[in-house]
Amino acid sequence: MARIGFIGLGNMGGGMAANLAKGGHDVRAFDLSQDALDKAKAAGCLPVESASAAADGAEAIVTMLPAGKHVAQVYEDSLFGAATPGTLLLDCSTIDVDTAKKVAEAAAAKGLAAVDAPVSGGIAAAAAGTLTFMVGGPADAFARAEPILTLMGKAVIHAGSSGAGQAAKICNNMLLGATMVATCEAFLLARKLGLDPQTFFDISSVSSGQSWSMTSYCPLPGVGPETPADRDYQGGFAAGLMLKDLKLAVQAASDANASVPMGAEAMALYQAFANGGRAGLDFSGIIRMLNGEQ
Ligand code: NAD
């Protein structure tokens, strides 16, 4: 049993911290929200009054925060002062590659080990402990992170050096955003051309147009496996979070001088969808906008 600090007990972090406690660890949990702290307590964690208190005496500290600015702030203001040298920092938030590299460098300068370990899988996977972790950082830090991440996920993959986990995450989600838009378009066109959507699914899901967006996350209700489309696009992966990830990908592409026209187009479409007040809907709900529905 290790003492583990956990900061950021929201939709994702709440379930993840609970799984570390279930795995037998002494989890010192902190969030700005009292409600999140109460839930963490009920799940077997020990709520503490600050991020520094969560870091104090911990062998490892997990952060699951909204964006890069929150991670940089918590690292600078709390963790760097309170964590003892040798402590392992695991940032599981989805943030920009640049900040991920900078905080890892700053951590190393303080004698701390750090990995970026963003996740694939949503709130249900966080609660069930079936996330996929893509990890960036030195091999020795990865070796220490792996048993901790395994308690929260079904797959833990070393992507490379610091920032490589975030790079894998945003490239994956850029691909997902673009294939979802393309899958929606294809279904709408197929229907306008007189094809039955189920028949098109049966054909395309075993043909070269196949993708995860088609076979596992079909954007039309009543077609394929059960998905958020069957729940009126409630739950699932919010379009606002997809937009966040696409913005990170397009920014990273600009910094790296890479051409991502499909990613940029997907970002513009999700921005329009969010501007229409639909950022909270599942990202497959963009089919409604493409179909001209209000
Ligand atoms: P969330 O908004 O539900 O949770 C974030 C939590 O961080 C909140 O409870 C907030 O109070 C807390 N917080 C913010 N600043 C803090 C601070 N300074 N100190 C302590 N706590 C602080 O967000 P989420 O859905 O849990 O997402 C967390 C991260 O995971 C994001 O980076 C997101 O992009 C990523 N992610 C989310 C999903 C998803 O489906 N929700 C999937 C994959 C990755």
Side-chain angles (χ1 to χ4, degrees):
M1 170 166 117
R3 186 187 290 187
I4 300 180
F6 204 112
I7 300 158
L9 308 162
N11 288 322
M12 298 292 289
M16 293 164 69
N19 283 323
L20 289 180
K22 216 184 286 172
H25 291 299
D26 168 10
V27 181
R28 307 288 166 107
F30 177 66
D31 195 286
L32 299 174
S33 143
Q34 186 57 45
D35 185 44
L37 287 169
D38 292 344
K39 283 186 183 144
K41 187 174 182 191
C45 304
L46 181 70
V48 293
E49 71 281 5
S50 66
S52 304
D56 189 28
E59 287 169 43
I61 304 164
V62 182
T63 41
M64 193 54 168
L65 295 164
K69 63 179 181 192
H70 306 97
V71 174
Q73 193 187 13
V74 167
Y75 271 44
E76 291 288 340
D77 296 353
S78 306
L79 306 193
F80 289 162
T84 39
T87 302
L88 174 66
L89 310 182
L90 305 96
D91 180 38
C92 297
S93 331
T94 302
I95 69 170
D96 57 288
V97 176
D98 199 39
T99 301
K101 285 183 181 168
K102 279 189 181 140
V103 295
E105 251 172 52
K110 302 264 177 205
L112 304 166
V115 293
D116 49 291
V119 306
S120 178
I123 301 162
T130 56
L131 294 165
T132 292
F133 289 90
M134 356 191 157
V135 188
D140 52 344
F142 174 75
R144 289 175 63 196
E146 196 174 16
I148 296 171
L149 298 175
T150 300
L151 288 174
M152 303 184 282
K154 64 172 166 39
V156 180
I157 300 164
H158 193 194
S161 57
S162 296
Q166 297 296 349
K169 165 78 186 176
I170 58 174
C171 290
N172 178 72
N173 277 23
M174 183 178 76
L175 187 58
L176 174 61
T179 59
M180 179 53 78
V181 170
T183 303
C184 293
E185 284 179 356
F187 268 112
L188 294 171
L189 176 61
R191 199 161 57 186
K192 287 216 161 141
L193 296 177
L195 268 170
D196 171 58
Q198 181 64 50
T199 306
F200 177 60
F201 173 86
D202 292 343
I203 294 168
S204 191
S205 60
V206 293
S207 298
S208 47
Q210 186 274 338
S211 71
W212 188 84
S213 298
M214 165 68 71
T215 28
S216 300
Y217 216 86
C218 187
L220 268 189
V223 180
E226 200 195 321
T227 66
D230 298 301
R231 299 188 293 275
D232 208 21
Y233 304 100
Q234 301 299 317
F237 181 48
L241 285 175
M242 172 52 84
L243 176 60
K244 170 194 165 183
D245 293 353
L246 287 165
K247 284 181 175 171
L248 289 174
V250 170
Q251 181 60 51
S254 164
D255 295 345
N257 202 21
S259 169
V260 289
M262 302 290 282
E265 187 58 30
M267 181 186 76
L269 289 164
Y270 276 102
Q271 183 69 69
F273 191 55
N275 290 349
R278 290 180 278 193
L281 279 192
D282 180 73
F283 80 117
S284 63
I286 199 164
I287 196 167
R288 288 187 167 164
M289 184 182 86
L290 297 169
N291 196 34
E293 295 169 37
Q294 289 312 308

